[in-house]
Amino acid sequence: MNSPAEPLASLPLRDDLRGMSPYGAPQLEVEVALNTNENTHPVPADVVEAITQRVHRVAASLNRYPDRDFTQLRTALAGYLGHGLAPENIWAANGSNEILQQILQAFGGPGRSLLSFVPTYSMYPLLALGTGTEFIAGQREADFSLTAQAAARQVTEHAPDVVFLCSPNNPTGTALGLDVVEAVYRAGEAHDTVVVVDEAYAEFAREGTPSALTLLPGRPRLIVSRTMSKAFALAGARLGYFAAAPHVADAMRLVRLPYHLSTVTQATALAALGHHGTLLATVADVKEQRDRIVRELDGLGLTPAASDSNFVFFACGTDAHAMWEGLLERGVLVRDVGIPGHLRVTAGTDAETTAFLDAVRAYLGRS
C-alpha cells in the first residue's frame, strides 16, 4: 500500500490525469490583487445584514436536507433575469463551473466532444477532461475576434455535441455578436448540438450589448449561463445558474448530486437577490475603472482590448512575464494568462486602479 507521503504520481490515477496541474491563479499576499476577476468592492453592510438574518433564520433547520429543487431561489432568479422566464427555465449550482460540469455530464462524456474557441476560459478543457469529453480547440482570428461565418464553419466541420461560447470572452474581454450565437446554433442543428453561452460577465457589458437570453425562445438546445460571483460580488458564496428550456433543467436532475445546493447557499443567494439593486450599484463604478484602464494604457503606448467585462486584456510587449514580475515587485498582482505578449488585469476600486496604473508607469519608466 502506498504511504500518504509518496508523490501524487505513485497513485493509480487515470492515464489522462497524469502530469496534470490543478486549475488556479496564484494566491499571493500582495497589497493589490487584480488577477482573478473578482468584484473587489466589499459586500455592502445592509446586504451583509440581510444575508446574516436569512442564514440565522434557517440555521435551526440545518439538521434537515435543503430544498432539493430550490424552488424559491429559481423563482427569484427568473424574476431577476426577466425575459419572460419562469422558475422551470432556471437551474442553479455551486458556481458556474459546476453548471458547466453538469452540462457536460449530461450532454458530453466518452465518445462525445466539446468545441470552444481559444483563447477562452481555461477551465473549459479541464471540465472536458474531468467528464471524459473530447475538447476541440476552435480557432479565432489573429485579433482574437470570432465571426459568425468562421464559427459556423468550424461547428459544421467538427460536429461537436456541445459548444461553449464565452461572451464576454475570458481572457480577451469582448462580447460576441448575437449573429455568432445564431450561426453556431443553426450549424449545430443537424447534430443536435447543445450550445452554451457563458455570460459570467454580462452585467459589465457596454451599453447596447444584447444578451443571448433574447435568443432562448424557439431554441430548445440553447443554454445561457450566469453567475453571482462577479457583478453580485459573491464569489465566496459559489452560486451559478442558467436559463434554458425546461427540459434542459430537467436533464440536470439526472446528473446532479443529491441536495447539491446547501440551505446556507440558497439563503445567501435569496438575500442577495432581494438587494440586487444595492449590489449591482458597484457595476457602474467597475465599468468606469475598466474604461479608465483602457484609456490610460493606450496613452502609455500599450494596446488594451475593448472590454465588456470587469477586466482588461492588453498587449504589453514581447515579455509579458517580465512585466508581470515587475508589477508584482511593486505590490500589484495581475494575471499572466499564458498568451505571449499579453496580460490581464481586473478593474478594481479607484484606489486599486490607481495603484495598478502607477505600477505600470514605474515599470515602463514613466513615473
Side-chain angles (χ1 to χ4, degrees):
M1 180 178 295
N2 295 327
S3 72
E6 289 185 41
L8 182 65
S10 69
L11 294 174
L13 285 172
R14 288 169 19 196
D15 290 341
D16 57 354
L17 292 180
R18 291 191 178 280
M20 296 291 295
S21 298
Y23 170 85
Q27 291 186 308
L28 305 176
E29 289 294 328
V30 294
E31 294 178 18
V32 181
L34 298 175
N35 66 323
T36 55
N37 297 343
E38 297 159 313
N39 185 334
T40 65
H41 293 71
V43 179
D46 58 337
V47 181
V48 172
E49 180 62 23
I51 292 171
T52 301
Q53 290 182 5
R54 191 139 199 159
V55 171
H56 180 77
R57 288 201 299 271
V58 303
S61 65
L62 291 179
N63 60 310
R64 299 291 188 180
Y65 286 118
D67 175 5
R68 184 174 55 199
D69 292 321
F70 45 95
T71 305
Q72 191 175 2
L73 176 57
R74 290 162 62 213
T75 300
L77 286 167
Y80 166 68
L81 289 179
H83 294 277
L85 295 167
E88 294 75 24
N89 298 109
I90 306 298
W91 186 254
N94 295 285
S96 58
N97 286 326
E98 186 175 63
I99 285 287
L100 299 174
Q101 181 184 58
Q102 289 179 345
I103 290 169
L104 289 180
Q105 287 175 315
F107 303 116
R112 296 191 174 197
S113 61
L114 164 68
L115 170 67
S116 196
F117 300 91
V118 299
T120 192
Y121 183 32
S122 58
M123 270 300 297
Y124 294 163
L126 295 178
L127 290 167
L129 176 67
T131 56
T133 307
E134 177 191 2
F135 181 78
I136 301 170
Q139 302 303 305
R140 294 173 177 266
E141 303 300 323
D143 64 355
F144 307 115
S145 63
L146 181 64
T147 67
Q149 295 79 8
R153 174 179 52 77
Q154 293 178 72
V155 171
T156 300
E157 175 187 353
H158 295 291
D161 297 281
V162 184
V163 175
F164 283 176
L165 297 171
C166 193
S167 181
N169 188 45
N170 179 11
T172 57
T174 306
L176 292 173
L178 292 188
D179 61 326
V180 178
V181 181
E182 292 174 298
V184 165
Y185 193 89
R186 283 196 303 271
E189 285 187 306
H191 303 282
D192 289 337
T193 301
V194 173
V195 178
V196 181
V197 184
D198 181 355
E199 292 191 343
Y201 301 94
E203 287 92 346
F204 298 103
R206 288 170 291 178
E207 190 73 24
T209 302
S211 166
L213 290 170
T214 61
L215 300 180
L216 285 174
R219 293 181 174 85
R221 293 181 308 282
L222 179 63
I223 304 172
V224 181
S225 174
R226 294 283 187 97
T227 183
M228 295 184 75
S229 293
K230 310 301 183 182
F232 276 82
L234 288 177
R238 312 309 302 131
L239 197 290
Y241 58 102
F242 73 57
H247 60 266
V248 177
D250 290 340
M252 298 302 103
R253 292 179 170 85
L254 302 176
V255 297
R256 60 114 179 256
L257 293 173
Y259 310 104
H260 70 290
L261 274 184
S262 77
T263 298
V264 172
T265 298
Q266 293 182 46
T268 300
L270 282 165
L273 286 163
H275 291 76
H276 69 266
T278 301
L279 284 165
L280 296 181
T282 64
V283 169
D285 184 59
V286 171
K287 292 167 71 173
E288 181 180 338
Q289 298 306 319
R290 173 199 69 198
D291 294 343
R292 176 188 169 198
I293 291 170
V294 170
R295 286 193 309 271
E296 298 203 23
L297 289 183
D298 185 65
L300 289 169
L302 302 178
T303 309
S307 179
D308 289 294
S309 52
N310 71 334
F311 57 84
V312 176
F313 177 74
F314 62 99
C316 59
T318 56
D319 194 343
H321 195 70
M323 185 172 185
W324 179 87
E325 290 180 328
L327 297 179
L328 183 59
E329 290 172 359
R330 293 165 174 85
V332 177
L333 179 62
V334 299
R335 187 69 174 267
D336 183 346
V337 292
I339 298 174
H342 292 78
L343 294 172
R344 191 194 71 197
V345 59
T346 304
T349 62
D350 178 79
E352 289 169 330
T353 299
T354 297
F356 162 71
L357 292 169
D358 286 347
V360 171
R361 291 189 190 94
Y363 176 79
L364 296 174
R366 308 282 184 84
S367 57

